[in-house]
Amino acid sequence: MFYQPEIETMPLAKLRELQSQRLREQVNYLYKNVPFYKRQLDEASVDPASIKGIADIRRLPFSKKTDLRDNYPFGLIAVPQKEISRIHCSSGTTGKPTVVAYTKGDLDIFSECVARSLTAAGCRPGMIMQNAYGYGLFTGGLGLHYGAERLGMAVVPVSGGMTERQIMLMKDFGTDALCCTPSYAMTIVEELHRKGIDKNSLKLKLAILGAEPWTESIRAGVEAGLGVLATNIYGLSEIMGPGVSQEDYEEKGTGSYIWEDHFFPEVVDRHTGEPQPEGRPGVLVFTTLTKKAMPLLRYWTNDICTLHYDKGGKRTHIKMGQILGRADDMLIIRGVNLFHTQVEAVLEEFNKLSTNYQLLVSRDGNMDMVTVNVELESGFFNELGIDTISPEVIKEQPHLSELYYGFVKKIKDNTGLSMHLHLLVPGAIPRSEGGKLNRIIDLRKKD
Ligand code: DLL
């Protein structure tokens, strides 16, 4: 049930002591070894010796992605180069990537955290794990790989893509657990349907999904389509990679445990930086407590979520809720803040609409416009007996017009914004080919 019970169920008071001792060491270590941190702490008039315990963390300045970019590639590294064992990059869409580095000891902890996460997901030694996260500079592939090996699983390092081959291997090898992005898991579900392959011909039991936001309706789709129990894995390269937090297979929907002995989490107000009380959403901030190659103090992840302790949970560590969106992904539409997950939550209430959608944001004169492109659920589409969808078809089909106006009204009620709806035939929206899926297309000119 646990990979490291003495740590995972450590009484909170003891956990705080451990965190305090590790924070003191980390701050002194960074002050001595990384000129950027020495400068930052001096400018904030923080004497490292005055950091006595974890409660003092609020006195430390934040670090941000721009600090990593400004110090590209190796400016934040705290050890001599000969002590670096691996270098990864975080997925940047433009410009230089964000570089992260690990010592042997860091990689050891990385594997330990992933082994802990996989155990919480229901994985056990002796199981076969098919790893469809991308191998390469992305931390998903190698991160899950070494963690699964550490746990004692047999890893099939297939990487993302080539869906037909994924299915063949799952079938022939009797794969127990699948690791991939939730959108790619849905691609596999669709391929099974298309090929008429019975999910019971697979032996899959578990899916460990993460690297992008997902919802309960995607969980339901993956669980029904693959016959698995699906849990959430979260992480980011700057802090480590996958396995910073993980949902327990018997506590689904109650949040993911953050491994607090290594990563100290805070949720802060996105404008003021003030720590938020338990349960209130804000920006997730992490301090790495044990990392040696490139530790970060109060790293501003830009991910928006809540934190809470679950008294009924098996472990003592804090849980994070699902990521509601990224602060830099937040759309501002006619002055109203909008996360695409809000649209997704409305879609979940309409079972005649699929989970395949995209938001198209454009500007008409001075007006921001949002169009929700969404496919009809394939069973419903087949029942209609039509092959295209147009405004005329919607008018003629009472079920379609009811759906159309029902959705437009609900979206307005829930988000306060009027949006256009563009209903599409199944298969019209691009699918994940293994990597992360982009749900937003923003065509507005950036001023
Ligand atoms: O995505 C690490 C990872 C690999 C996590 C495999 C889980 C599984 P990056 O490429 O640096 O690292 O991207 C990190 O992805 O800040 C979130 O915005 C998003 N993200 C990661 N996991 C989740 C999740 C990896 N479970 C960024 N739910 C993070 C929602 C997630 N968003």
Side-chain angles (χ1 to χ4, degrees):
M1 184 154 82
F2 295 106
Y3 184 69
Q4 291 167 313
E6 68 294 350
I7 298 171
E8 295 173 49
T9 62
M10 185 180 273
L12 269 189
K14 219 172 142 207
L15 190 58
R16 291 287 172 264
E17 257 174 54
L18 181 70
Q19 290 170 331
S20 294
Q21 173 221 325
R22 289 181 170 175
L23 180 71
R24 280 194 299 273
E25 285 171 13
Q26 190 74 283
V27 172
N28 279 292
Y29 173 77
L30 280 170
Y31 191 79
K32 223 167 61 205
N33 294 301
V34 181
F36 164 81
Y37 274 112
K38 176 169 188 324
R39 219 173 30 247
Q40 224 201 12
L41 292 173
D42 285 346
E43 273 165 21
S45 309
V46 178
D47 174 3
S50 72
I51 301 295
K52 304 272 187 242
I54 204 73
D56 294 320
I57 203 162
R58 294 175 178 197
R59 297 181 33 232
L60 300 173
F62 294 110
S63 39
K64 298 209 163 157
K65 198 165 189 113
T66 47
D67 297 322
L68 272 75
R69 290 222 185 92
D70 293 346
N71 290 283
Y72 176 86
F74 299 143
L76 293 183
I77 290 180
V79 294
Q81 191 171 323
K82 63 178 192 317
E83 289 179 33
I84 300 287
S85 289
R86 200 193 297 163
I87 298 168
H88 275 289
C89 290
S90 129
S91 41
T93 40
T94 50
K96 301 267 194 211
T98 308
V99 176
V100 292
Y102 308 77
T103 62
K104 264 205 163 34
D106 294 337
L107 291 175
D108 203 46
I109 290 173
F110 192 173
S111 298
E112 196 175 282
C113 288
V114 173
R116 246 192 238 177
S117 299
L118 290 171
T119 305
C123 295
R124 295 294 176 263
M127 284 184 172
I128 297 182
M129 190 260 253
Q130 191 155 324
N131 189 11
Y133 283 115
Y135 281 67
L137 288 177
F138 176 54
T139 51
L142 290 181
L144 262 305
H145 182 103
Y146 287 113
E149 280 192 1
R150 173 68 62 90
L151 175 59
M153 301 177 88
V155 187
V156 186
V158 56
S159 199
M162 298 213 244
T163 311
E164 242 176 86
R165 190 179 66 170
Q166 299 270 2
I167 294 172
M168 178 188 81
L169 296 180
M170 272 186 233
K171 234 168 137 169
D172 295 350
F173 292 0
T175 301
D176 298 285
L178 170 69
C179 295
C180 62
T181 58
S183 55
Y184 190 57
M186 285 307 287
T187 301
I188 298 177
V189 168
E190 287 188 336
E191 183 71 8
L192 288 179
H193 282 306
R194 203 170 13 248
K195 291 271 156 58
I197 301 171
D198 179 4
K199 68 173 180 212
N200 296 320
S201 66
L202 309 176
K203 296 215 176 68
L204 268 188
K205 297 169 197 67
L206 303 165
I208 298 94
L209 311 179
E212 64 187 12
W214 57 301
T215 56
E216 288 302 325
S217 63
I218 294 182
R219 187 191 324 252
V222 173
E223 291 196 330
L226 296 178
V228 293
L229 202 151
T231 52
N232 182 49
I233 185 161
Y234 166 88
L236 64 163
S237 325
E238 297 92 313
I239 296 306
M240 178 179 81
V244 171
S245 81
Q246 168 71 43
E247 192 177 24
D248 185 279
Y249 73 110
E250 289 176 328
E251 298 173 19
K252 280 193 310 181
T254 63
S256 303
Y257 286 109
I258 296 175
W259 307 125
E260 272 196 79
D261 51 325
H262 296 295
F263 318 107
F264 185 78
E266 297 168 86
V267 156
V268 303
D269 181 278
R270 59 192 296 260
H271 302 292
T272 64
E274 277 307 304
Q276 298 296 291
E278 256 188 70
R280 171 122 24 111
V283 176
L284 187 58
V285 168
F286 280 112
T287 297
T288 62
L289 296 173
T290 49
K291 235 176 152 189
K292 287 287 180 233
M294 213 184 105
L296 292 174
L297 297 180
R298 300 193 90 196
Y299 183 70
W300 188 276
T301 65
N302 256 328
D303 290 325
I304 309 276
C305 73
T306 56
L307 293 177
H308 70 279
Y309 283 99
D310 180 358
K311 298 235 158 49
K314 292 180 206 164
R315 298 170 181 78
T316 46
H317 296 218
I318 205 163
K319 284 179 171 177
M320 58 187 266
Q322 287 281 33
I323 300 292
L324 303 169
R326 287 182 53 80
D328 52 0
D329 257 18
M330 195 183 71
L331 294 166
I332 302 183
I333 308 294
R334 287 168 249 147
V336 177
N337 296 350
L338 178 76
F339 288 112
H340 67 86
T341 45
Q342 287 173 272
V343 175
E344 206 159 302
V346 174
L347 283 172
E348 282 184 15
E349 295 179 31
F350 290 80
N351 60 11
K352 290 178 179 149
L353 296 175
S354 79
T355 49
N356 295 305
Y357 77 96
Q358 244 172 7
L359 295 188
L360 198 71
V361 187
S362 55
R363 186 167 283 161
D364 187 5
N366 284 325
M367 257 316 241
D368 297 323
M369 313 274 287
V370 182
T371 305
V372 184
N373 287 333
V374 61
E375 291 173 13
L376 292 186
E377 188 275 318
S378 55
F380 172 62
F381 177 72
N382 292 337
E383 277 168 29
L384 290 173
I386 54 175
D387 44 30
T388 54
I389 305 172
S390 63
E392 292 72 40
V393 174
I394 295 175
K395 234 183 248 158
E396 284 159 16
Q397 296 267 349
H399 289 311
L400 265 189
S401 30
E402 191 186 317
L403 178 64
Y404 184 93
Y405 292 108
F407 179 84
V408 168
K409 178 171 183 319
K410 188 83 197 178
I411 234 12
K412 170 93 194 175
D413 290 347
N414 285 25
T415 66
L417 287 166
S418 301
M419 298 185 198
H420 295 297
L421 174 63
H422 192 187
L423 295 174
L424 298 165
V425 299
I429 291 188
R431 299 297 195 262
S432 162
E433 310 245 329
K436 303 188 191 217
L437 195 64
N438 195 4
R439 296 280 191 193
I440 303 169
I441 303 175
D442 195 340
L443 300 173
R444 292 174 298 182
K445 284 208 180 69
K446 298 265 183 286
D447 311 312

